[in-house]
Amino acid sequence: MKCSGCSSELKDNFNFCPVCGKSVQLTQPSPLIPLQEIPERYLVVAKEFEELTNLKLTQDQLLRFAQLDEVGKLSVNDSERRKKAGEKVRIKNADGTYVLHIGTWLSEMYDTPDATNETTSRVWITPGGIKYHTSRDCKGLSDGQAYASWKGKDTYNPQFVTRKDAQWFHGKKACDVCKPG
């Protein structure tokens, strides 16, 4: 199958073109969840997506949009933060619309500070580490992973959790390098 926007080759399971971001139109209906079963928080993210791209999603596109894992992850965060992140990563088209890649939007949203809290409300941890960090790029985090690897221990992908959970549930302390508070 080829993209109608840029003619690049697409796999059957693609919802959006990875090159130009254009929504892939299905030739046959797919088994989707009914519109009334979409959680309200997903609909809020869809509305923000429409505002950020200046596009209106069809009902079929909305149903496919709600099934994306990234939308679920976006939906549990603050709306203002999502909007700021979306504005940073969207790409303007000549016709006044924007391309907004959902995965890029999600990544940028985690890199955008939470304006409602002066200190970092969410932090990065690893299951094997003893500290929490403001950024997944923190030198303390990468040095700790390198040390664990050198000692022959398993290393883990950083997880984004609330500071409260990092401290109370996971028993982590603040990093001495990035000083998340």
Side-chain angles (χ1 to χ4, degrees):
M1 170 172 26
K2 293 209 181 266
C3 174
S4 61
C6 66
S7 299
S8 49
E9 195 62 36
L10 302 174
K11 293 184 181 176
D12 291 338
N13 62 344
F14 282 5
N15 293 328
F16 296 91
C17 176
V19 176
C20 69
K22 186 169 175 109
S23 177
V24 175
Q25 299 296 322
L26 296 176
T27 55
Q28 53 184 318
S30 59
L32 299 170
I33 57 175
L35 186 60
Q36 61 271 18
E37 291 184 22
I38 297 176
E40 180 65 31
R41 61 191 174 103
Y42 286 32
L43 295 173
V44 171
V45 175
K47 185 175 183 329
E48 291 171 3
F49 178 83
E50 290 176 338
E51 291 170 2
L52 288 165
T53 59
N54 291 337
L55 297 171
K56 179 73 174 141
L57 296 175
T58 65
Q59 187 169 348
D60 185 50
Q61 290 170 331
L62 178 61
L63 292 170
R64 287 188 285 137
F65 183 85
Q67 290 181 328
L68 297 173
D69 290 335
E70 293 88 350
V71 172
K73 292 174 184 176
L74 282 165
S75 71
V76 296
N77 290 281
D78 180 59
S79 178
E80 286 302 313
R81 189 174 182 190
R82 274 194 309 262
K83 288 177 187 176
K84 285 181 184 178
E87 289 170 352
K88 286 183 183 179
V89 297
R90 66 184 181 173
I91 302 164
K92 188 168 186 167
N93 291 324
D95 62 357
T97 61
Y98 292 85
V99 174
L100 180 58
H101 299 282
I102 306 299
T104 308
W105 185 16
L106 177 63
S107 295
E108 181 61 35
M109 203 255 339
Y110 286 128
D111 292 336
T112 301
D114 186 358
T116 62
N117 192 350
E118 289 182 12
T119 59
T120 307
S121 60
R122 295 184 68 89
V123 293
W124 293 93
I125 65 167
T126 57
I130 58 172
K131 306 282 183 164
Y132 60 87
H133 311 269
T134 57
S135 166
R136 63 178 166 222
D137 300 324
C138 171
K139 183 157 175 44
L141 177 62
S142 59
D143 287 353
Q145 294 242 336
Y147 181 74
S149 180
W150 176 74
K151 290 293 246 177
K153 296 183 177 184
D154 291 334
T155 58
Y156 305 94
N157 288 331
Q159 300 170 342
F160 202 54
V161 299
T162 64
R163 181 193 347 232
K164 185 177 177 181
D165 284 349
Q167 291 172 330
W168 295 357
F169 184 70
H170 298 287
K172 312 284 186 190
K173 302 286 182 205
C175 172
D176 299 324
V177 177
C178 62
K179 300 179 185 359

